[in-house]
Amino acid sequence: MNRVSIPQGIMALFLISLIFLLSGCNEKPQPESFYLEGKTMGTTYHIKFYDEQPQRDVVVLKEEVDAVLQDINQSMSTYIPDSEINTFNRLPANQVMPISADFRAVVTESIRLGESTKTLDVTMGPLIDLWGFGPNKKPTNRPSDAALAQMLANIGVDKLTLTEQGLAKTVNGLELTFSATAKGYGIDKVAQLLESHNISNYMVEIGGELRISGVKPNNQDWKIAIEQPDAQPGEREVHRVLAPGTNGIATSGDYRIFYEMEGETYSHLIDPVTGMPSRHDLVSVTVLHPSAMTADGLATALTVMGMKKAQAYAQKHDLPVYLIGKSDEGLITYSSPAFKPYL
């Protein structure tokens, strides 16, 4: 196996990828396997692919992957002061900012998903800050009803104006965060890069989200596993294995990140309609979609909806969705009609 890597610790994936090399002899030569890994977007990426060109220069390919991801990070990271997204966030209302093709693609899909689901809102950054959520943070005080009402009046994708000239906001202080779509977009861009090199059998993973294409040698399906939500702390167990075909795969849930305050449990996922952290019976959502960006956004949106609304949305839009909820009797599961062929 050819390997180009960046040293790192133990990889913990939201979705546990099951990747095994086939062993044994075959009369027909098998495609060679390649593996790339590195860091991006505050997390890690892992790429595995099979190629019938054993002399492929994986060092050059990795440099191209890193360049693609660096451009996306420079565009969409709120941790880079001069990033494209931070430049927009500092703009006053009604000032149009020309945007890159990558930024336009993500904001366009984010607006579409926001309007369709009502539970994904890429302008919620200030609301999240109001609650006190964020990296290495937890809420210490519940915002007042007045503060929440004022915040809700000043966020929403309906306050974004996207034109051929660029992007503008209609209210001051509106900010974007692409935490629910940027990783998926990065995966899609890397997949496009691989395909431009005539690589069609691959798996790309960034921070636990995936996109898979083609098959492994001997026409073996790629297999991935959904994590068991009620595994013991510090342990990871397989809930169910599936063959996702050629698709993006994203899982979202509130069973890993939550806080207790004043006797109440608060999820890190906030409903943009009510301004309150989600407190539904739905603990895990897995979505399949040709676009990893769309799967990423939908997984977050459906988790905020709760079990019944998520089921209804998946059925209405014919989405391959697998839901895990909690009840008095324990965990319950739901596979949408479009998901069942992948089980």
Side-chain angles (χ1 to χ4, degrees):
M1 179 185 291
N2 295 280
R3 183 183 181 97
V4 177
S5 65
I6 293 177
Q8 54 188 293
I10 299 173
M11 177 179 71
L13 301 180
F14 221 49
L15 287 172
I16 309 167
S17 57
L18 305 180
I19 310 167
F20 298 100
L21 288 175
L22 299 177
S23 60
C25 298
N26 243 320
E27 294 182 1
K28 184 179 179 181
Q30 294 297 304
E32 190 165 357
S33 62
F34 296 86
Y35 185 73
L36 310 177
E37 62 181 15
K39 297 181 179 180
T40 187
M41 303 183 191
T43 183
T44 56
Y45 73 79
H46 301 83
I47 302 167
K48 184 177 181 102
F49 65 92
Y50 295 92
D51 194 359
E52 295 180 356
Q53 298 182 34
Q55 302 305 315
R56 182 176 297 280
D57 191 335
V58 291
V59 173
V60 172
L61 181 59
K62 184 180 185 305
E63 290 174 351
E64 293 181 15
V65 169
D66 287 338
V68 165
L69 294 174
Q70 183 177 351
D71 286 346
I72 295 173
N73 208 34
Q74 179 64 41
S75 174
M76 303 175 201
S77 173
T78 55
Y79 294 94
I80 299 175
D82 63 345
S83 67
E84 192 170 8
I85 194 168
N86 277 335
T87 301
F88 176 79
N89 288 346
R90 289 190 293 264
L91 283 184
N94 302 313
Q95 182 172 330
V96 178
M97 185 180 103
I99 54 177
S100 66
D102 287 338
F103 201 92
R104 180 177 291 274
V106 174
V107 77
T108 298
E109 182 63 356
S110 297
I111 291 173
R112 186 190 73 82
L113 290 174
E115 292 174 342
S116 174
T117 65
K118 310 302 182 186
T119 50
L120 180 73
D121 192 336
V122 292
T123 72
M124 281 203 307
L127 177 59
I128 294 170
D129 291 341
L130 181 65
W131 271 98
F133 287 102
N136 304 316
K137 296 180 181 179
K138 62 180 181 180
T140 56
N141 297 103
R142 183 194 183 282
S144 68
D145 291 342
L148 285 173
Q150 182 177 3
M151 180 62 70
L152 291 175
N154 288 282
I155 64 171
V157 293
D158 60 317
K159 296 174 179 63
L160 294 171
T161 304
L162 181 63
T163 64
E164 292 183 3
Q165 289 70 40
L167 184 67
K169 63 187 79 170
T170 60
V171 295
N172 285 315
L174 192 76
E175 297 180 1
L176 294 174
T177 177
F178 293 143
S179 57
T181 46
K183 281 192 303 181
Y185 182 72
I187 292 171
D188 289 338
K189 288 285 286 188
V190 171
Q192 291 173 17
L193 174 64
L194 296 178
E195 291 169 5
S196 74
H197 286 280
N198 297 316
I199 298 169
S200 57
N201 301 307
Y202 59 80
M203 183 208 73
V204 180
E205 177 267 335
I206 299 179
E209 316 300 352
L210 296 162
R211 178 161 156 171
I212 289 173
S213 175
V215 294
K216 298 193 290 184
N218 290 340
N219 209 35
Q220 293 287 314
D221 290 333
W222 294 91
K223 300 283 188 176
I224 64 122
I226 300 172
E227 186 176 358
Q228 182 72 13
D230 60 355
Q232 294 298 315
E235 297 181 5
R236 291 181 180 272
E237 298 177 9
V238 172
H239 169 78
R240 192 156 194 174
V241 177
L242 56 136
T246 296
N247 270 309
I249 309 104
T251 290
S252 178
D254 67 356
Y255 57 94
R256 291 283 181 202
I257 307 176
F258 58 88
Y259 304 102
E260 292 186 359
M261 180 177 64
E262 299 176 358
E264 297 287 342
T265 299
Y266 293 89
S267 164
H268 73 295
L269 296 172
I270 296 179
D271 186 338
V273 176
T274 65
M276 297 291 294
S278 174
R279 298 181 65 186
H280 296 301
D281 54 355
L282 190 54
V283 296
S284 177
V285 174
T286 298
V287 179
L288 305 182
H289 193 277
S291 164
M293 171 175 60
T294 301
D296 200 3
L298 283 171
T300 298
L302 294 178
T303 303
V304 175
M305 287 182 190
M307 179 67 84
K308 289 185 178 179
K309 290 183 179 179
Q311 287 183 27
Y313 187 90
Q315 292 174 14
K316 178 180 178 180
H317 296 276
D318 195 29
L319 294 173
V321 169
Y322 187 83
L323 310 177
I324 305 176
K326 55 188 176 183
S327 70
D328 294 338
E329 290 75 34
L331 293 180
I332 55 175
T333 63
Y334 166 81
S335 299
S336 69
F339 193 90
K340 291 179 179 179
Y342 302 99
L343 293 173

